[in-house]
Amino acid sequence: MWVLLFVQLPPLFNLPKSHLQCYGETVYCMGTDMLSRCNQADSPVDRFISVVAWNISTLRPPIFGFVPYNPILGETHHVSRANLNVLLEQISHHPPVSALHATDEKQKIQLIWCQQCVPKFNGIAVVNEVRGKRLLKLLSRGETYEMNSPNLLIRILPTPGVDWDGDVRIRCPENGLEAELHYGHKSFLGLRGSHRSVKGKILETSTKRTLFEFNGNWDRTITMKDNTSGKLTVIYNAEEVYSGLKTPIVNDLQGVRSTESAAVWSELSEALMRHDWEKANETKNAVEEKQRELLRERESKGETWVPQHFTLTRNKDGVWDCLPIHQWVPPAPIIVPLS
């Protein structure tokens, strides 16, 4: 899972991809299909454990000093991997809010994410708070798993670096289980703590009785202990997730929308790959200026921009939420090869 600061930086500091592509990759770029495992497990407990492992698998090691492009308003990213179809849309630009809808109609799986990043500076680091609800629905099981995201900690002092940090809660009202995860990192001076650590527990919601405890490192392995039997099991191996990743390819050029991330930023990405910084600056400025023109045009006409694929709401506390307009995401013109 990618979350970085939405700030304007020169192309020299850009990765050749959009934030939307990075978000999507956490769902469709996997060495092994951990999402399907969530639905295939027979018992509610085993399904919940699979959901915890899949949730951890959506993390990606962030790269300090480089950021993806800030998505333009209305930008989309549509990719398929086997039966999983993933569609993202930038549904707000100020503040930046991204929405994701992914479905596997064969497995009857649905994902709905709404994400807003709010940076806060504390003197030695920038804590990028990730707001928004994430839902995983196993429709054939009648189960909905609600979860949040850890925050991204960008350290400035004493040693620059970036890491995931904070608490994540996963709950499923239908099976009466919940999980508490804590993501940790090295201390201020690097003398305490563990790099990219995660520890937590799975418990019964009604009694708060802890059923399982787990700990490890999200970029390596995570081991779970059954509190009844004492049995230890490796529930997550990062090597399985990160190994054998395939680059998405265009399968139907005519079907690619003009709002597709790869289309919006194609010239800039090509310039970055060539290290043509003059062309990169020119191209990036042209994309941004076009957006300013469209904004001025809407304001002159008194028009309000409306998302194409999601309905958008905001509560009294300023928290954004979104719902997909369609139940199922159609197959995409961009696909992830399976072999």
Side-chain angles (χ1 to χ4, degrees), residues 178-316:
E178 61 185 74
E180 297 173 357
L181 292 76
H182 177 75
Y183 289 91
H185 53 85
K186 289 283 190 179
S187 64
F188 178 73
L189 296 176
L191 302 177
R192 293 180 289 105
S194 177
H195 185 52
R196 295 177 175 175
S197 67
V198 58
K199 61 180 180 179
K201 58 185 178 181
I202 298 174
L203 58 153
E204 292 179 338
T205 301
S206 59
T207 64
K208 301 302 178 183
R209 181 171 68 94
T210 299
L211 304 178
F212 304 93
E213 296 178 346
F214 50 87
N215 67 78
N217 302 87
W218 58 262
D219 62 341
R220 282 162 277 176
T221 59
I222 296 172
T223 302
M224 181 184 72
K225 176 185 177 182
D226 185 325
N227 279 6
T228 300
S229 67
K231 180 181 178 181
L232 297 176
T233 307
V234 175
I235 64 168
Y236 177 77
N237 185 340
E239 185 176 353
E240 294 181 0
V241 176
Y242 302 150
S243 297
L245 299 181
K246 304 295 183 180
T247 301
I249 61 174
V250 177
N251 187 52
D252 175 15
L253 184 59
Q254 299 300 317
V256 177
R257 297 180 177 93
S258 61
T259 56
E260 166 62 44
S261 297
V264 171
W265 302 105
S266 60
E267 289 188 41
L268 176 53
S269 294
E270 290 172 5
L272 290 181
M273 300 298 283
R274 296 195 307 267
H275 292 180
D276 186 344
W277 308 120
E278 182 177 350
K279 179 64 174 179
N281 276 298
E282 175 187 321
T283 303
K284 188 174 186 181
N285 289 336
V287 172
E288 293 168 351
E289 180 56 33
K290 178 64 175 177
Q291 293 308 299
R292 287 189 283 269
E293 289 179 8
L294 291 173
L295 175 59
R296 288 192 292 267
E297 183 179 333
R298 287 195 300 271
E299 289 177 341
S300 67
K301 296 179 179 179
E303 296 177 348
T304 301
W305 183 85
V306 178
Q308 296 297 304
H309 306 285
F310 297 86
T311 58
L312 181 61
T313 59
R314 187 180 186 185
N315 67 19
K316 61 181 181 180

Side-chain angles (χ1 to χ4, degrees), residues 66-83:
F66 292 90
V67 298
Y69 315 133
N70 291 341
I72 65 173
L73 185 64
E75 181 178 329
T76 59
H77 185 47
H78 189 195
V79 177
S80 292
R81 181 183 188 274
N83 295 312

